[in-house]
Amino acid sequence: MADIIQLLPDHVANQIAAGEVVQRPASVVKELLENAIDAGSDSIKLIIKDAGKTLVQVIDNGKGMSTTDARLSFERHATSKIRNAEDLFQLHTKGFRGEALASIAAIAHVELKTKQPHDDVGNTIVMEGSKVTSQDVVVTPQGTSVSVKNLFFNIPARRNFLKSDNVELRHIIDEFHRVALAHPGIGFVFYNNGNEAFNLPISNYRQRIVNIFGTKTNEKLVPVEEETEVLKISGFVGKPEFAKKTRGEQYFFVNDRFIKSAYLNHAIASAYDGLLKNGTHASYFLNLTVDPQTIDINIHPTKTEIKFDDEHTLYAILRSAVKHSLGQFNIAPVLDFERDANLDTPYELKKESARASTPTIEVDRSFNPFQDEAPVKQRAVSYKKEPTESWESLYVGLESKGTKTQQDFSEVHFETEEATVSMFDKDIEKTHTTYQLHNKYIVSTIKSGMLVIDQHRAHQRILYEDYLQHLTIKGALSQQLLFPLDLHFSNQEIAVIIQLKEDLEHTGFVFSNVKEESIEIIGVPVGVPESEVSIILEQLISDVENEVPDSNFSATDLLAKSMAKSLAIKTGQSLQKDEQEHLVNKLFACKEPNVSPANRTTFVTMSVDELDKKFI
């Protein structure tokens, strides 16, 4: 039998390796930024075009590379940090696998320019699909510039799997935030399609957070500081009243490296136990410093998940540190009653000791405070009740002053009124055909049996079709606010709102002013409470950034779905009988009453035959 196992060609092996390292343009951004940080830079520029599909460029002012190093950097498993396996547990740098540039060069057009401080000129290398097309001397400033163009040009299938530009840009911004938050001692500038999106100067950690998420963030932060033999914690957590429905502002950094850990996230959530509303999540920006020998970073291709030696100890320390900070800054509630100043010890008696003997109380039982007063004679008063034969006698003898005679009541005519039935008449009672079960389902009777409706999903369908109609015909009613509503958001969130501003106005929102970090609203859709506006917009921003509709859906459809999800009747809300019937009638007036906007079943039916079988 012929041999069937063979070695893969290098370019195919590189493309397969690239699939693990480079999943989307944000992966390229992450790898290039980490390499720039390892080069000792204090100023890094990130330039993006078309959400990274056309260009991803990172420019740093680090130490640069020699001609040989520049060429070797594109070889697989080429690294300057690892000499043996033990070095994996002594890592203090970012890129250590030596696969980043090799993987990127296998699926894109890459141009590298680099120059060391003591050299007069630098070197440039141009690669296409793992092949070196040119290598030459070039005049370039100190540091390194890497340009990645036409990502996935030789793998069309991978390129087709990329999401829309808005979603890919969202992932790039997330990676940029993670790297920038971990290194406040480095200045970062981010350009998107020629426009400056972020300009983050060198600063302390708190100022870096404020520069990224807006000035309003400063008042939301509570500092956390703790240092033990096992773990050092520094950073900030958010106040409970500013908790959001999304998990966007949750960052863990271990030894200046962003990580994801559901276990440690649970420690934070338990520290906030009893302080957060249902469905909300607290923000945190925490730096954890541990011994590199106690963690294993090399367990995931993206290096965002690491393994700890003693997770239970870290959990307990982290939970206690956060809880202590919330209590120290009067964020957490404490059992403290209002102090009465009358019960305080007088100042002149504070140094006196308490008496050893019990004080005695003397009472003069013969004391009478009224013995010197003269007795008061009481006067008897008698009242004689005149009998009245009928109610007419009450008006006998009454005459109005200034008038000659009293008006004759016999001349007054009263209009006849139709007889009305009392609204509390027990004999006549309106019958209802709907019932609410566990404040979640509405049960209604039909000819063939009964109908069970999920009230939350049903209301979502009703609102979705209403908002979709308003957005289509561009005419919705708006209720004006007595006082303008001023809401604060970060720069990228404001950009999303500006993008959806026209569609939001068609649903009933009225914007009077849109600034860099805040918006002013003077009108909201009819039926939307003022307190829900910020929640609706936060949910909408999250949906636009993270949830991508299919290609046959538009941003209008996504907006209608998001608003319907935010404003729909929640599970657990009690409904009156007329509200239940109105919901049922509105649901079956929809074009597609069977499913919610998320394609989930809104109601189920059970026939009488099916019920009969239950009793057999």
Side-chain angles (χ1 to χ4, degrees):
M1 184 176 180
D3 298 332
I4 58 174
I5 296 178
Q6 58 183 357
L7 295 176
L8 287 173
D10 289 340
H11 69 280
V12 177
N14 287 339
Q15 289 181 2
I16 294 174
E20 297 180 357
V21 179
V22 182
Q23 300 172 354
R24 57 189 349 139
S27 306
V28 177
V29 171
K30 175 180 182 293
E31 298 291 346
L32 296 184
L33 288 177
E34 289 182 348
N35 287 343
I37 293 170
D38 288 343
S41 316
D42 61 5
S43 177
I44 300 175
K45 291 182 181 179
L46 173 62
I47 302 173
I48 299 295
K49 286 186 179 180
D50 299 332
K53 300 173 184 177
T54 302
L55 173 67
V56 175
Q57 184 176 7
V58 173
I59 305 172
D60 66 68
N61 63 347
K63 56 189 176 183
M65 291 182 285
S66 65
T67 305
T68 305
D69 286 346
R71 180 63 189 88
L72 284 176
S73 64
F74 288 98
E75 297 295 329
R76 289 192 66 193
H77 306 301
T79 179
S80 60
K81 291 108 179 176
I82 303 297
R83 293 291 179 267
N84 50 55
E86 286 73 19
D87 290 342
L88 287 172
F89 297 95
Q90 293 290 339
L91 289 172
H92 297 277
T93 55
K94 308 293 182 186
F96 58 86
R97 286 182 176 149
E99 295 181 1
L101 289 179
S103 299
I104 294 170
I107 54 175
H109 298 156
V110 181
E111 181 180 5
L112 171 69
K113 294 180 180 179
T114 182
K115 176 181 172 293
Q116 292 181 318
H118 55 270
D119 292 338
D120 296 330
V121 294
N123 297 281
T124 178
I125 297 177
V126 179
M127 301 192 70
E128 295 181 5
S130 298
K131 296 180 180 179
V132 179
T133 57
S134 67
Q135 181 172 358
D136 205 351
V137 176
V138 68
V139 176
T140 184
Q142 175 189 337
T144 304
S145 170
V146 182
S147 301
V148 179
K149 304 175 184 178
N150 304 323
L151 194 64
F152 300 125
F153 79 100
N154 53 354
I155 313 179
R158 290 289 301 277
R159 191 176 181 89
N160 292 336
F161 274 97
L162 294 179
K163 305 299 183 182
S164 65
D165 286 357
N166 289 334
V167 176
E168 294 299 339
L169 180 61
R170 175 71 251 172
H171 286 286
I172 291 174
I173 292 175
D174 285 343
E175 292 293 349
F176 178 78
H177 285 173
R178 294 167 182 176
V179 175
L181 285 171
H183 300 88
I186 300 176
F188 291 89
V189 183
F190 181 10
Y191 295 96
N192 178 36
N193 292 332
N195 300 319
E196 184 180 276
F198 293 94
N199 191 341
L200 309 176
I202 298 174
S203 60
N204 58 29
Y205 191 47
R206 189 184 194 114
Q207 191 61 42
R208 176 55 58 88
I209 296 173
V210 171
N211 288 339
I212 292 177
F213 296 102
T215 55
K216 197 71 175 177
T217 312
N218 191 33
E219 66 185 50
K220 305 177 183 179
L221 301 178
V222 177
V224 178
E225 294 288 340
E226 188 67 42
E227 185 170 0
T228 65
E229 296 180 356
V230 180
L231 173 68
K232 178 182 178 182
I233 305 172
S234 64
F236 301 90
V237 294
K239 296 179 181 179
E241 60 264 32
F242 297 106
K244 294 187 175 183
K245 285 187 170 291
T246 60
R247 300 178 180 268
E249 297 179 1
Q250 295 184 342
Y251 295 89
F252 272 125
F253 301 97
V254 175
N255 296 352
D256 295 335
R257 183 189 300 276
F258 172 80
I259 67 156
K260 295 178 181 178
S261 175
Y263 188 69
L264 296 183
N265 180 74
H266 188 273
I268 302 292
S270 62
Y272 278 90
D273 191 21
L275 301 178
L276 301 178
K277 297 179 181 178
N278 290 334
T280 61
H281 308 279
S283 303
Y284 55 79
F285 312 87
L286 295 176
N287 295 301
L288 313 180
T289 304
V290 299
D291 186 355
Q293 295 184 359
T294 63
I295 59 175
D296 184 6
I297 306 170
N298 196 30
I299 64 169
H300 195 272
T302 60
K303 295 176 285 189
T304 56
E305 298 177 12
I306 65 177
K307 184 175 178 60
F308 296 94
D309 279 356
D310 190 0
E311 286 187 331
H312 298 290
T313 302
L314 299 183
Y315 182 100
I317 295 174
L318 183 61
R319 179 179 179 274
S320 300
V322 173
K323 202 161 191 174
H324 174 72
S325 293
L326 293 175
Q328 184 179 7
F329 289 90
N330 297 326
I331 305 300
V334 294
L335 187 62
D336 187 16
F337 301 99
E338 293 185 1
R339 179 176 57 85
D340 188 356
N342 296 324
L343 301 178
D344 290 348
T345 305
Y347 181 76
E348 62 273 8
L349 298 179
K350 281 192 174 182
K351 295 183 180 180
E352 297 287 336
S353 58
R355 296 180 180 179
S357 60
T358 305
T360 58
I361 301 174
E362 297 180 0
V363 179
D364 185 5
R365 299 184 182 276
S366 63
F367 176 73
N368 183 6
F370 306 106
Q371 63 184 358
D372 296 334
E373 296 183 4
V376 180
K377 295 182 179 180
Q378 295 184 352
R379 198 170 45 176
V381 181
S382 61
Y383 296 94
K384 185 178 181 181
K385 184 177 180 182
E386 296 293 337
T388 56
E389 297 178 356
S390 63
W391 64 271
E392 292 90 349
S393 63
L394 295 174
Y395 299 91
V396 174
L398 292 179
E399 292 184 0
S400 301
K401 293 182 179 180
T403 59
K404 295 181 179 179
T405 58
Q406 184 180 358
Q407 184 179 3
D408 188 2
F409 283 93
S410 62
E411 297 178 0
V412 178
H413 299 279
F414 296 95
E415 295 182 1
T416 59
E417 295 182 359
E418 295 181 2
T420 57
V421 181
S422 172
M423 62 182 297
F424 298 103
D425 193 350
K426 296 181 180 180
D427 297 332
I428 302 176
E429 184 177 355
K430 184 179 178 182
T431 58
H432 295 278
T433 58
T434 60
Y435 305 92
Q436 192 175 23
L437 181 64
H438 296 300
N439 289 343
K440 183 176 182 181
Y441 300 106
I442 296 175
V443 182
S444 178
T445 58
I446 54 177
K447 287 184 177 180
S448 60
M450 71 175 183
L451 191 73
V452 182
I453 301 172
D454 187 310
Q455 65 184 35
H456 177 62
R457 295 181 184 178
H459 200 213
Q460 275 193 53
R461 164 54 63 177
I462 296 168
L463 293 178
Y464 168 69
E465 294 197 4
D466 285 344
Y467 286 128
L468 204 58
Q469 183 180 7
H470 293 157
L471 288 168
T472 304
I473 64 177
K474 300 181 179 180
L477 297 177
S478 176
Q479 57 185 7
Q480 299 299 306
L481 300 177
L482 185 60
F483 300 102
L485 191 62
D486 194 18
L487 302 176
H488 294 265
F489 296 96
S490 61
N491 292 338
Q492 62 269 23
E493 289 173 339
I494 292 291
V496 174
I497 293 176
I498 292 174
Q499 176 187 347
L500 299 173
K501 182 172 177 288
E502 185 178 353
D503 288 333
L504 285 171
E505 289 174 342
H506 293 157
T507 63
F509 283 98
V510 180
F511 298 88
S512 61
N513 196 3
V514 179
K515 303 176 183 177
E516 284 188 1
E517 295 181 354
S518 65
I519 59 173
E520 192 176 73
I521 298 176
I522 60 175
V524 296
V526 175
V528 176
E530 186 177 339
S531 58
E532 294 285 328
V533 174
S534 61
I535 299 175
I536 293 170
L537 293 180
E538 285 179 8
Q539 185 66 53
L540 175 61
I541 292 170
S542 174
D543 290 343
V544 171
E545 291 175 344
N546 301 319
E547 294 185 11
V548 190
D550 297 333
S551 57
N552 58 333
F553 289 108
S554 62
T556 302
D557 182 81
L558 182 62
L559 176 60
K561 284 182 179 178
S562 181
M563 291 187 62
K565 181 169 60 175
S566 300
L567 294 173
I569 295 171
K570 302 296 186 291
T571 297
Q573 182 174 343
S574 178
L575 301 178
Q576 300 296 328
K577 293 292 184 181
D578 53 348
E579 293 175 330
Q580 299 171 21
E581 294 180 356
H582 179 72
L583 186 70
V584 175
N585 295 333
K586 289 282 288 183
L587 174 64
F588 289 100
C590 294
K591 293 182 179 179
E592 295 184 14
N594 298 325
V595 293
S596 69
N599 289 326
R600 296 183 177 180
T601 304
T602 56
F603 66 87
V604 293
T605 58
M606 183 172 289
S607 65
V608 176
D609 294 338
E610 291 175 337
L611 286 173
D612 291 339
K613 292 179 181 178
K614 300 290 183 182
F615 293 94
I616 294 177

